[in-house]
Amino acid sequence: MADSIRIARDAPLQSRNTFGVAATAPVLVEVADAAALPALLADREFGERLSLVLGGGSNLLFAGDPEGVVLALTGKRVTQADDFIAEDGVRTIVRADAGVEWHDFVMRTLRHGFAGLENLALIPGTVGAAPIQNIGAYGVEVREFIHAVEAFEPATGQMHRMDAAACRFAYRDSLFKQQPDRYIVTAVEFTLSRTHSPKLDYAGIREELDDMGAAPTPQNVADAVIAIRRRKLPDPAVLGNAGSFFKNPIVPAPEAEALKAEHDALPVFRGNDEGTRKLSAAWMIDQCGWKGHRDGDAGVAASHALVLVNHGNATGAHLLDLARRIAGSVQERFGVSLEPEPRVIGATW
Ligand code: EPU
């Protein structure tokens, strides 16, 4: 097989997931060049047993071992200046391999003078994972900048290049999340601009820039976002976590109004469309008293109620059990059901 492919059996996954929980892949296949995928997956040993594509491991919980074959795309063709294709002086389309670290990519686009991704600085994970859950933070979702997603479809052996409409993006959702095993994202193309105006409306950004005494340039906005994230969200290198463990629930507008009437302080945002609203899961979890809770090595971050943390040797099953208890108490108190944001492997929610 091609040099770009490495195969390991009974491979430990603890260092490949940001929760840092122990799990084992029966077979782990690392592929550096996505061009090798068609031949690899045509081989029945791999194609038929593929169960999971692993990126930075920052948005999943191993509640048990994955079955079959785990695939990791390790290609890191970093976008060189020459890869800033189709520049017209203002806008550019830039393409990055799935394996490129997301934060490195964001900083690189800013260094080249292209704005747009600054509010999404410091999100863990890879470029290939970004469209899957349509990553979002501080008032921006990545969908706004996606020109196309390149994805391989193992069942048909076809490579696709889909525009943003075909990706069916919604809040923390996409075609790739709706049909989790159908496509393997291999590269993403982004439309960025030299004249993009910064988005500063999300709570805390303007204040942070004021505190820094900084003008709202894209680079400074990224620095402000980095400072806020560092304060609020635990660093997975220090304390295992997968960012927000629950999605902010989207409910019909009248339901949000009824809840708001009862709980005046509940933060409510606009939903995917006019008829829906997004409720703050963090606030509801906080009200139920979970912030900073610790149950052995499984806990809730002291700095943010939406983040589950592994204090050392928690198992994925233990973290999942804690998550279920949290969701149960929010259901009981607010009548709202929470859903996990990360993909749960080896158990059903
Ligand atoms: N809040 C609390 N208690 C807390 C934390 C927050 O009551 O412990 C309340 C506050 O009123 C705050 C509001 O919740 O104003 C919203 O909090 P925050 O700005 O932290 O946003 P979030 O809705 O909790 C979402 C994303 C984060 C993203 C932030 C910032 C989801 C599931 N999470 O969190 O994304 O960084 O907004 O835009 O949409 C992630 O997806 O892993 C992630 C970290």
Side-chain angles (χ1 to χ4, degrees):
M1 256 184 214
D3 293 346
S4 73
I5 298 175
R6 282 171 48 188
I7 298 167
R9 292 186 196 268
D10 296 324
L13 299 172
Q14 192 159 18
S15 64
R16 292 174 183 268
N17 72 96
T18 60
F19 261 124
V21 297
T24 305
V27 180
L28 175 68
V29 184
E30 290 181 279
V31 177
D33 184 355
L37 284 178
L40 174 80
L41 296 175
D43 181 330
R44 288 172 56 188
E45 192 203 346
F46 299 108
E48 286 179 10
R49 295 179 59 218
L50 178 64
S51 73
L52 175 67
V53 180
L54 195 56
S58 57
N59 203 48
L60 50 79
L61 175 65
F62 287 117
D65 288 333
E67 288 174 6
V69 174
V70 175
L71 177 72
L73 292 185
T74 57
K76 291 199 194 305
R77 224 170 338 158
V78 175
T79 28
Q80 301 297 327
D82 314 354
D83 288 321
F84 280 71
I85 45 182
E87 185 175 348
D88 62 7
V90 177
R91 281 182 347 131
T92 190
I93 294 168
V94 57
R95 176 184 182 283
D97 273 355
V100 175
E101 289 296 327
W102 173 258
H103 177 67
D104 293 348
F105 174 68
V106 170
M107 298 320 263
R108 196 172 179 109
T109 62
L110 294 172
R111 276 200 304 279
H112 280 276
F114 288 104
L117 303 180
E118 56 275 6
N119 296 43
L120 305 178
L122 211 64
I123 294 181
T126 55
V127 164
I132 294 175
Q133 60 150 333
N134 176 26
I135 57 170
Y138 305 101
V140 172
E141 290 186 353
V142 76
R143 67 194 282 183
E144 298 162 45
F145 300 95
I146 289 185
H147 178 68
V149 173
E150 296 173 28
F152 179 69
E153 186 177 13
T156 61
Q158 300 263 306
M159 187 64 90
H160 300 271
R161 186 169 170 279
M162 300 179 215
D163 64 15
C167 296
R168 296 195 214 150
F169 290 121
Y171 165 65
R172 290 297 193 276
D173 198 30
S174 74
L175 172 67
F176 313 106
K177 198 162 173 183
Q178 292 152 18
Q179 303 183 7
D181 299 317
R182 182 158 173 201
Y183 299 103
I184 299 170
V185 174
T186 56
V188 184
E189 296 172 26
F190 301 86
T191 305
L192 302 175
S193 157
R194 291 196 185 277
T195 59
H196 177 73
S197 48
K199 294 231 174 75
L200 308 174
D201 290 338
Y202 196 90
I205 303 253
R206 269 179 224 279
E207 293 78 355
E208 193 70 30
L209 284 166
D210 285 350
D211 288 352
M212 289 161 53
T217 63
Q219 182 63 55
N220 288 343
V221 172
D223 289 345
V225 165
I226 290 168
I228 297 172
R229 288 189 75 96
R230 288 219 167 108
R231 247 190 345 259
K232 286 199 179 175
L233 300 168
D235 177 356
V238 179
L239 188 61
N241 74 86
S244 301
F245 192 84
F246 296 101
K247 287 190 273 194
N248 284 325
I250 298 205
V251 300
E255 188 180 329
E257 277 147 32
L259 276 164
K260 188 83 186 157
E262 227 179 301
H263 310 278
D264 187 38
L266 169 69
V268 177
F269 307 94
R270 62 179 301 266
N272 281 325
D273 52 58
E274 277 308 308
T276 61
R277 298 287 181 273
K278 191 160 60 175
L279 311 176
S280 169
W283 187 88
M284 291 187 283
I285 295 169
D286 208 346
Q287 293 298 303
C288 293
W290 290 102
K291 191 148 126 182
H293 173 90
R294 185 166 172 175
D295 171 15
D297 275 351
V300 177
S303 57
H304 203 298
L306 205 46
V307 181
L308 296 198
V309 293
N310 174 7
H311 286 282
N313 293 311
T315 63
H318 191 175
L319 285 157
L320 186 64
D321 178 61
L322 173 61
R324 287 190 177 125
R325 285 187 287 130
I326 292 171
S329 68
V330 168
Q331 178 75 56
E332 204 173 302
R333 172 122 177 232
F334 298 97
V336 173
S337 46
L338 295 183
E339 277 178 36
E341 195 213 55
R343 184 164 174 193
V344 177
I345 306 295
T348 45
W349 171 243

